[in-house]
């Protein structure tokens, strides 16, 4: 990336502000996810309300950042690395916002399970583990964005395979549960929804990482076979 | 990513050096110009864009002390445009030029366009009328001037004058058209008309255009070359140059980081 400053210092300020807003938004989504994990494993139903409230801030930031991107394109006509940055950011915020939505789904699922008098962590063994893995993916994707580190982004993309594999094994385990004891079906279905949301968070983190590779290297690596996703720089 | 056909060479600079007396203005330029494509030349002021452009129609020959080395091959006949056995007048028939400031002759609209044909020895009135009309139509100015062909050309608006100069360049059926910042003296509407015209013209003729307007280069060209201090730094597909240039100097220039 380009560390030299623009002839227009205002342009530099605008790009800098845009980047820090994305990181701020990313930070909020991270707290949503980690609060959702806590709610799940410790039964902190109170934090559900907090997650939902944070979601509003996340949505507002998404709109503000998109709006800034549109203004910046109209005013500055960014090219090359600047263009890739603005374009990449406007995609990153979509994935961040959706990752936040998934956290909200987890929180609501947890609340339903507790209200039914159950302990979710008794059923979905392994969920906490992949949820933490997905959170690490998102954190690293945001680090990769902050440092424009394509190699780290590629690692995140590779980690998504593990989350997907674990998700499938959790599904198998829950299905076995339901067959063994049909009374667990209601709770198990809620847990499937939670596992599904976790898996989606991993996907969004992977997307963010792919956008980072595009910003840094100008390669669109979405939909490429795995072996072609290695960082080139 | 719309066309996948391999481009055909129309011209190619090979080891081109150019000197204004002692001062070297072009340094070992190697660059293809593809047939019926638009190639944009960009780069900071004084980097040699106009010097390079003028080499194609031997304009430098008009001044003593100017010197070329290397060659510019012109296809399909593989002529070296810079060859000492090649007649510059003949070259200028095949390679037309349009300048930054519209420069119509102080003659009628008709005579401006007929000029090149007359130089070539065409005197048949019908043929002249036919070719003038065709050139004015190709330059998208026919509708505006068809009823005033005997008016003085300098009375036209700036944008009209520029399209008239394009018609003048087109009248001799050139194979390559050179544009040196053709819209820098025009308003956005007149600029849009010229850009539209460039897009139309490339169906028939190869175009090499110098512009200081990055968006214009991105809009009108298929290929872009970045020049710096007399050197060709980077040549590539326009999409690639504006999204992911390979050379840091190109990147700095098009993102406005020169300094
Ligand atoms: N007739 C001339 N005699 C001597 N030196 C010249 C002559 N014309 C241009 N130069 C020099 O050659 C170099 C290249 O000039 P040129 O006009 O090709 O630049 P350019 O890229 O077209 O710049 P601009 O964007 O300002 O039009 C400059 O250093 C210029 O001063
Ligand atoms: Mg010039």
């Amino acid at each position: 990336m380009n560390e030299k400053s623009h002839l227009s210092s205002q342009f530099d300020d605008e790009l800098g502000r845009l980047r820090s807003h994305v990181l701020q938004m990313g930070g909020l989504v991270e707290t949503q996810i980690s609060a959702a994990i806590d709610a799940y494993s410790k039964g902190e139903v109170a934090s559900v309300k907090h997650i939902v409230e944070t979601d509003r801030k996340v949505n507002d930031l998404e709109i503000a950042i998109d709006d800034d991107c549109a203004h910046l394109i109209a005013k500055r006509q960014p090219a090359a690395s600047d263009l890739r940055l603005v374009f990449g950011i406007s995609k990153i915020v979509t994935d961040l916002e959706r990752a936040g939505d998934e956290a909200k789904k987890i929180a609501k699922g947890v609340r339903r399970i507790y209200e039914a008098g159950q302990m979710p962590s008794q059923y979905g063994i392994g969920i906490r583990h992949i949820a933490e893995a997905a959170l690490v993916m998102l954190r690293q994707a945001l680090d990769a964005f902050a440092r424009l580190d394509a190699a780290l982004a590629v690692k995140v993309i590779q980690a998504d395979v593990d989350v997907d594999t674990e998700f499938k094994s959790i599904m198998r385990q829950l299905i076995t549960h339901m067959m063994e004891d049909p009374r667990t079906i209601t709770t198990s279905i809620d847990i499937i929804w939670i596992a599904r949301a976790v898996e989606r968070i991993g996907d969004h983190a992977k997307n963010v990482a792919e956008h980072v590779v595009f910003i840094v290297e100008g390669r669109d690596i979405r939909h490429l076979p795995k072996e072609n996703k290695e960082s080139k720089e | 990513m719309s066309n996948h056909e391999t481009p055909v060479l129309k011209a190619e600079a090979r080891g081109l050096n150019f000197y204004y007396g002692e001062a070297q203005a072009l340094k070992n330029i190697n660059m293809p110009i593809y047939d019926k494509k638009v190639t944009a030349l960009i780069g900071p002021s004084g980097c040699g864009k106009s010097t390079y452009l003028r080499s194609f129609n031997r304009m430098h020959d008009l001044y003593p002390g100017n010197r070329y080395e290397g060659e510019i091959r012109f296809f399909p006949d593989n002529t070296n445009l810079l060859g000492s056995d090649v007649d510059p007048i003949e070259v200028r028939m095949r390679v037309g030029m349009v300048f930054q400031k519209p420069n119509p002759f102080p003659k009628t609209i008709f005579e401006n366009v007929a000029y090149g044909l007359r130089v070539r020895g065409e005197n048949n009135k019908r043929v002249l009328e036919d070719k003038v009309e065709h050139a004015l139509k190709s330059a998208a100015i026919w509708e505006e001037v068809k009823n005033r062909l005997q008016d003085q050309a300098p009375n036209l608006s700036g944008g009209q004058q520029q399209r008239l100069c394009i018609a003048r360049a087109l009248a001799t059926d050139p194979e390559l058209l050179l544009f040196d910042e053709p819209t820098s003296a025009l308003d956005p509407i007149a600029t849009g008309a010229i850009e539209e015209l460039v897009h139309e013209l490339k169906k028939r003729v190869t175009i090499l255009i110098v512009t200081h307007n990055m968006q214009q280069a991105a809009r009108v060209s298929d290929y872009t070359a970045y020049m710096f201090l007399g050197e060709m730094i980077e040549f590539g597909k326009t999409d690639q140059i504006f999204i992911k240039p390979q050379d840091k100097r190109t990147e700095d220039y098009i993102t406005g980081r020169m300094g």
Side-chain angles (χ1 to χ4, degrees), chain B residues 3-53:
Chain B
N3 39 24
H4 291 279
E5 86 273 23
T6 31
V8 175
L9 268 187
K10 181 65 209 174
E12 187 169 39
R14 294 183 187 163
L16 177 65
N17 293 308
F18 182 81
Y19 303 83
Y20 289 110
E22 291 301 299
Q24 185 169 7
L26 299 179
K27 297 173 188 159
N28 189 29
I29 307 258
N30 292 287
M31 181 181 140
I33 313 277
Y34 292 118
D35 191 39
K36 300 198 175 59
K37 301 284 178 204
V38 178
T39 302
L41 279 177
I42 59 171
S45 194
C47 71
K49 302 179 297 294
S50 298
T51 303
Y52 180 48
L53 213 62

Side-chain angles (χ1 to χ4, degrees), chain B residues 45-46 48-51 54 100 180-181 210 212:
Chain B
S45 194
K49 302 179 297 294
S50 298
T51 303
R54 288 183 194 132
Q100 177 172 6
D180 198 346
E181 299 181 54
V210 170
H212 276 288

